[in-house]
Amino acid sequence: MTVSSSAPPVPTLASRKKSLLASAVGNVLEWYEWSAYAVFAPFIAAAMFDKGDPVSALLSTLAVFAVGFLMRPLGGIVFGRIADKRGRKFVLVTTMLTMAAGSLLIGIMPTYAAVGAWASVLLLLARVMQGFAHGGESATAYSYVGEIAPANRRGMWGSVAFVAIFGGSVIAYSLGGVITSTLSESAVGQWGWRIPFLLGAVLALVALYLRRSMDESDVFHGEQAAEATSIPRRTVVRAIVLMIGMTSGITAAHYTWTSYVSTYAITQKGMNPDTAYWMLVIAQVIALISLPFFGRLSDSIGRRPMLAAFAVGMFALQVPLTMMITDAGWTLLLATTAALLVVAAPASILSSTLSESFPTRLRTQAIGFAYSFSVAVFGGTAPYLNQLLLNLDLGWVFGVYIMALAALTGVAAWFMKETKGIALADA
């Protein structure tokens, strides 16, 4: 490859660390804003929808569908293509602005009582904005962190991407606990639910300031300056299929043990809701702390052993850990902590593994498709599928389903090449 002499200088390690911090802060904030909607969903629904109004009720259904199963994958693909053309930094700043705008809109929008079904329309618009931005943020952050990380520390640096997922969720649920315990239920329903969204919009200014000073990925700059070379389509398709398979078990297990397990403990085992909530928060904090250590371990032993360990661990433990849960809080804490530690091992290397699996010119859009598709098909549907099977007295089938997807992750890891420490320019 012939590289132009006008290429920008390679960022220093200190500069890369500042860029990593800027990416991480924004990523945590985006996951916080995304999770805040789930925390306050009952209050938002009461304020913005009316089950007696057919238009409003329909928009409520469409809002869940559009955001959960359409806008995130679409955002990952569209923003991924932009990131591969205009740069990672440009997209990370744009998604931050879009997510913050959606959060601000939710925080200030009028209620159904004030403007009728238009409140439902505005909420749908805000969630579409957030879902679209969220999909682009995830794909681009995975590429960016992988590209700015030192090759021999890419696993540890890349773990920050999943630290943000747990971190944003913990902050949202903790703030939700503070607001609901401090304010009366009436006050929360009237105005208290707006606080997290207004706070998120303000904090976005801080994240935006940090992101504007980020370095662009020198790997991306190098690709832009290099002569174009053809990339075999078969190679890219094979990598996408392997990454979908690899991610399937991880994302399904993650959503099961973060988004649904507390509901299972409350509705099926009779656990006190407050107890279930705080046990889940503690388990997520423990898993969050473990992520950098797992990422660093992968820099020593490789990515494939971490994926294999998850496949074996989740295959063996999914059913026993679920059966362990009773109405006692400690059972939920122990089971969820164990499950999330198993999930944390491969989750810590998602950024590094995905970025190491695709060529720079197509990296973000390929990640956007593979990761978003897997999350939409296997992750986002996991809580609903679990509840459906329980309602049909077939709860055991879901355990088998998770075991099968864990095995699929193991099969994908078997066919993957070990990519630890490779130069991304050669991916």
Side-chain angles (χ1 to χ4, degrees):
M1 290 191 301
T2 303
V3 180
S4 169
S5 60
S6 61
V10 176
T12 64
L13 181 60
S15 179
R16 290 172 186 264
K17 288 182 178 179
K18 289 177 63 176
S19 295
L20 177 66
L21 175 63
S23 176
V25 170
N27 218 202
V28 168
L29 182 59
E30 291 222 12
W31 277 101
Y32 155 76
E33 291 175 331
W34 181 262
S35 301
Y37 185 88
V39 174
F40 289 93
F43 298 100
I44 297 172
M48 299 298 168
F49 299 111
D50 180 8
K51 292 182 179 179
D53 184 329
V55 176
S56 180
L58 177 61
L59 286 171
S60 175
T61 303
L62 289 176
V64 175
F65 175 83
V67 172
F69 297 97
L70 178 60
M71 298 315 299
R72 277 186 63 179
L74 184 60
I77 295 168
V78 172
F79 275 119
R81 185 169 179 81
I82 295 173
D84 286 336
K85 296 291 185 182
R86 296 200 56 179
R88 308 348 183 181
K89 177 181 174 180
F90 172 80
V91 168
L92 289 173
V93 170
T94 302
T95 55
M96 187 82 263
L97 283 170
T98 307
M99 195 76 177
S103 185
L104 178 62
L105 180 57
I106 294 175
I108 65 175
M109 67 173 56
T111 64
Y112 182 90
V115 297
W118 282 109
S120 308
V121 173
L122 288 173
L123 180 60
L124 175 60
L125 174 63
R127 289 300 286 171
V128 164
M129 290 171 58
Q130 288 191 319
F132 192 68
H134 197 62
E137 167 79 16
S138 297
T140 309
Y142 281 162
S143 285
Y144 181 74
V145 173
E147 289 176 351
I148 66 171
N152 64 339
R153 292 290 185 272
R154 194 176 292 131
M156 185 174 69
W157 281 43
S159 68
V160 170
F162 223 85
V163 166
I165 296 177
F166 279 125
S169 176
V170 167
I171 293 171
Y173 277 91
S174 298
L175 182 59
V178 171
I179 291 175
T180 55
S181 62
T182 302
L183 301 177
S184 66
E185 186 173 345
S186 175
V188 176
Q190 291 176 7
W191 57 270
W193 63 267
R194 298 180 184 271
I195 294 174
F197 301 99
L198 296 174
L199 180 61
V202 172
L203 292 177
L205 298 177
V206 177
L208 182 62
Y209 172 78
L210 292 173
R211 285 192 167 184
R212 289 187 65 183
S213 62
M214 290 192 313
D215 296 316
E216 181 54 271
S217 159
D218 57 303
V219 176
F220 170 78
H221 274 313
E223 176 64 29
Q224 295 300 103
E227 294 179 353
T229 56
S230 61
I231 301 172
R233 182 173 181 176
R234 182 176 180 179
T235 300
V236 177
V237 171
R238 179 181 185 276
I240 288 176
V241 171
L242 284 177
M243 291 305 102
I244 291 174
M246 181 269 290
T247 311
S248 62
I250 302 168
T251 187
H254 171 247
Y255 276 81
T256 298
W257 288 97
T258 57
S259 297
Y260 184 74
V261 68
S262 59
T263 301
Y264 172 81
I266 294 166
T267 61
Q268 304 298 316
K269 300 298 180 179
M271 188 176 295
N272 179 280
D274 286 342
T275 300
Y277 162 75
W278 286 112
M279 293 304 98
L280 183 59
V281 168
I282 294 171
Q284 288 190 73
V285 170
I286 294 172
L288 183 156
I289 294 171
S290 75
L291 286 165
F293 296 98
F294 281 129
R296 181 66 188 90
L297 179 61
S298 79
D299 287 325
S300 298
I301 68 174
R303 319 302 187 209
R304 295 176 69 208
M306 307 295 288
L307 296 169
F310 162 79
V312 173
M314 190 52 62
F315 187 91
L317 295 176
Q318 171 65 30
V319 173
L321 290 178
T322 303
M323 294 176 63
M324 178 190 298
I325 300 172
T326 67
D327 62 349
W330 69 267
T331 63
L332 179 63
L333 176 61
L334 184 59
T336 305
T337 299
L340 289 183
L341 285 174
V342 173
V343 171
S348 67
I349 63 170
L350 273 180
S351 174
S352 56
T353 304
L354 288 167
S355 62
E356 290 165 347
S357 299
F358 299 106
T360 303
R361 195 186 318 160
L362 302 173
R363 179 169 294 126
T364 311
Q365 54 191 305
I367 291 175
F369 177 78
Y371 179 72
S372 297
F373 179 87
S374 190
V375 169
V377 174
F378 303 109
T381 60
Y384 304 101
L385 180 60
N386 199 341
Q387 187 61 51
L388 173 63
L389 291 171
L390 282 170
N391 291 341
L392 296 174
D393 293 325
L394 295 172
W396 63 271
V397 174
F398 187 79
V400 175
Y401 173 71
I402 295 297
M403 292 169 65
L405 291 181
L408 181 57
T409 295
V411 171
W414 177 268
F415 285 100
M416 288 168 50
K417 294 180 180 179
E418 180 55 65
T419 56
K420 177 196 71 169
I422 68 168
L424 292 188
D426 299 329

